[in-house]
Amino acid sequence: MNFLKAKSIDATEGRLLPKIIQYAIPLMLSMVVQQLFNAIDIVVLGQMADDVAVASVSATTSVTSLLVTSFVGLASGSRVVLARQIGARDDDGVRKTTDTSLILSLIIGAVIAVFGFFIAPWFLEITNCPENCFEGALIYIRIYVVAAPMILLYNFGSSAITAAGDTQRPLYYIMVGGVTNIVLNIILCLILPQKIVAVAVATVASQVICAFLVSNRLLKMDGPCRVIVRKMRFSVKAFIDVLRFGLPMMLVNALFPLSNLQIASAINSYGHLATAGNGAASTIENIVAATSGPIGTTVATFIGQNIGAQKPDRVKKSFWQCMALTILFGGAVGAATFFTGRFWLGLIVGFDNEVAITFGLVRMSCTTLFYFIACINNVFGSALQAYGYSTVSAINSIFSVFVFRFIWMQGLYPLCQDMPTYERFFIVTACFTVSWILRMLVNIVAFALVRRKYNRGFRRVL
């Protein structure tokens, strides 16, 4: 079977597993490619600059995730609303949701660009950014947040395209943007004396290109997701629907970087080599997540469309088949990446940088090796969102991620100050794994209750 052949997939008809794989593979490749291209910034700096430059960009991860990535959760809400409307054949609702989502992305992006530019120094201070990395990190953040409107426009726009069943074109778009990023990284690093400025400008340019390609597709595609600029209108009802499904997920996305600010502060206190190694490990972790994370998007789309079409059996099968796939991919890729971790870390920070590599391996032993647990949580969260109970997932995340990590860092970590350096660093990064396990246990109970309520409600309708 050619899994990249179809341009649009109807989740409400036909055999589920082939369609799930056919839908998920381009999405998976798209996210893997995106993460690989994102890693190019650090790799290029590692080869053409020094470890301080690598640490400077690595120190921005928590800040840029909080300022930009957290709002991508609203795009997932838009995707769920659109999936339900497409399943119910509500063309008018699809048009209103698409228009409102795109307008919303530009408004929020503009606010983030202005707010992030001025508040960036404060974020770097509270995360204890190493002094020799502060200036470079500040420059990178300020250039990066300027692209916030384009980043959100791409994510909201691609959500509309993928909700309609087309995951192939976003893959092409991210590949074009990624190649642009690589070429510009190399050219600008050869031209500009400030390497951090070079990679930041290259990143912004690639985001602009991706946003343009997605927008162009929405203007030309057939069906209710097509955008006609002169007829675009902001719908209050569509806005409320997007907030209903997306706001809790946005809160979840924000909680992770927010809870990680104090973790980042502890990591940065070990010096710029620890920051570089941790940043490299985090980059590798994101690539691992990209191999199974998109299955969360898949389960949200398939459950959403089949809820709209009132097909409970396909809703149930969609969830379990996606869960099996995410465990398989997350477990296999995570383990393989961990056991070859020294090579990947060396590729990013330099093979002779033993200290940074060791710090990176310590983090990977707590995260990459066990990332299948985070992938399971991703499927649970997306399923709860598709059922209309994303608030449940958000409340779970508040306690099992934000509150728990705060207690861990404020209560347990201070008791370990007499331990050797790498063992103390292990205690810091083990916080991720334990919070994932806690969140998974609560998700299992929450999903069982929501699923039972949905089944009873459907039987009453019949």
Side-chain angles (χ1 to χ4, degrees), residues 157-356:
S158 62
S159 290
I161 295 173
T162 57
D166 181 2
T167 56
Q168 183 176 352
R169 284 189 176 86
L171 169 61
Y172 297 155
Y173 302 154
I174 201 66
M175 289 182 70
V176 172
V179 170
T180 302
N181 189 20
I182 292 176
V183 173
L184 287 180
N185 265 326
I186 296 174
I187 293 175
L188 292 178
C189 278
L190 291 173
I191 296 175
L192 300 177
Q194 178 53 276
K195 309 305 180 186
I196 293 177
V197 173
V199 298
V201 171
T203 298
V204 169
S206 66
Q207 295 290 350
V208 171
I209 290 174
C210 289
F212 170 79
L213 292 173
V214 164
S215 301
N216 186 64
R217 173 58 186 161
L218 289 171
L219 292 172
K220 295 181 178 180
M221 68 187 297
D222 297 325
C225 285
R226 181 180 180 182
V227 173
I228 302 174
V229 177
R230 67 177 182 277
K231 294 184 178 180
M232 287 185 70
R233 297 292 185 273
F234 187 89
S235 168
V236 175
K237 181 182 182 304
F239 173 65
I240 293 173
D241 287 341
V242 170
L243 286 183
R244 176 194 167 195
F245 287 93
L247 191 59
M249 191 58 68
M250 186 190 79
L251 177 61
V252 171
N253 285 0
L255 283 174
F256 284 96
L258 192 61
S259 65
N260 291 346
L261 289 179
Q262 60 180 328
I263 297 176
S265 178
I267 290 172
N268 291 339
S269 68
Y270 288 86
H272 74 274
L273 291 176
T275 302
N278 178 76
S282 177
T283 298
I284 296 169
E285 178 184 308
N286 289 336
I287 296 172
V288 173
T291 64
S292 52
I295 298 177
T297 300
T298 303
V299 77
T301 300
F302 274 67
I303 289 179
Q305 284 196 22
N306 284 293
I307 286 177
Q310 298 187 19
K311 295 185 176 182
D313 288 342
R314 293 181 69 85
V315 170
K316 179 179 179 180
K317 291 179 181 178
S318 296
F319 171 79
W320 287 113
Q321 291 180 12
C322 286
M323 180 62 78
L325 287 173
T326 201
I327 293 174
L328 175 64
F329 277 93
V333 176
T337 305
F338 170 73
F339 289 113
T340 57
R342 178 173 291 275
F343 170 78
W344 303 115
L345 290 167
L347 190 64
I348 296 174
V349 301
F351 292 99
D352 58 342
N353 198 337
E354 186 62 30
V355 175

Side-chain angles (χ1 to χ4, degrees), residues 38 50 64 76 91 96 154 158 180 185 267 353 361 374 388 419 460:
N38 288 344
D50 52 29
T64 54
S76 68
D91 290 354
K96 290 180 179 178
Y154 169 78
S158 62
T180 302
N185 265 326
I267 290 172
N353 198 337
L361 287 173
M419 298 173 64
R460 282 197 297 268

Side-chain angles (χ1 to χ4, degrees), residues 12-34:
T12 63
E13 301 290 343
R15 293 178 59 198
L16 270 172
L17 185 58
K19 288 198 171 189
I20 287 173
I21 296 175
Q22 191 173 5
Y23 183 92
I25 283 183
L27 199 61
M28 186 183 303
L29 291 174
S30 178
M31 290 195 67
V32 169
V33 169
Q34 185 174 17

Side-chain angles (χ1 to χ4, degrees), residues 87-209:
R89 305 297 190 264
D90 180 9
D91 290 354
D92 185 60
V94 171
R95 292 188 185 93
K96 290 180 179 178
T97 301
T98 302
D99 289 350
T100 301
S101 297
L102 296 179
I103 295 171
L104 186 64
S105 70
L106 293 175
I107 294 173
I108 295 176
V111 173
I112 293 173
V114 175
F115 177 79
F117 185 89
F118 290 103
I119 205 71
W122 179 75
F123 275 118
L124 291 175
E125 289 174 1
I126 65 172
T127 55
N128 198 25
C129 179
E131 185 176 349
N132 57 341
C133 300
F134 191 93
E135 182 180 353
L138 181 60
I139 291 173
Y140 187 87
I141 290 176
R142 283 181 162 171
I143 296 176
Y144 184 87
V145 296
V146 169
M150 296 297 101
I151 295 173
L152 292 183
L153 179 60
Y154 169 78
N155 280 279
F156 277 85
S158 62
S159 290
I161 295 173
T162 57
D166 181 2
T167 56
Q168 183 176 352
R169 284 189 176 86
L171 169 61
Y172 297 155
Y173 302 154
I174 201 66
M175 289 182 70
V176 172
V179 170
T180 302
N181 189 20
I182 292 176
V183 173
L184 287 180
N185 265 326
I186 296 174
I187 293 175
L188 292 178
C189 278
L190 291 173
I191 296 175
L192 300 177
Q194 178 53 276
K195 309 305 180 186
I196 293 177
V197 173
V199 298
V201 171
T203 298
V204 169
S206 66
Q207 295 290 350
V208 171
I209 290 174

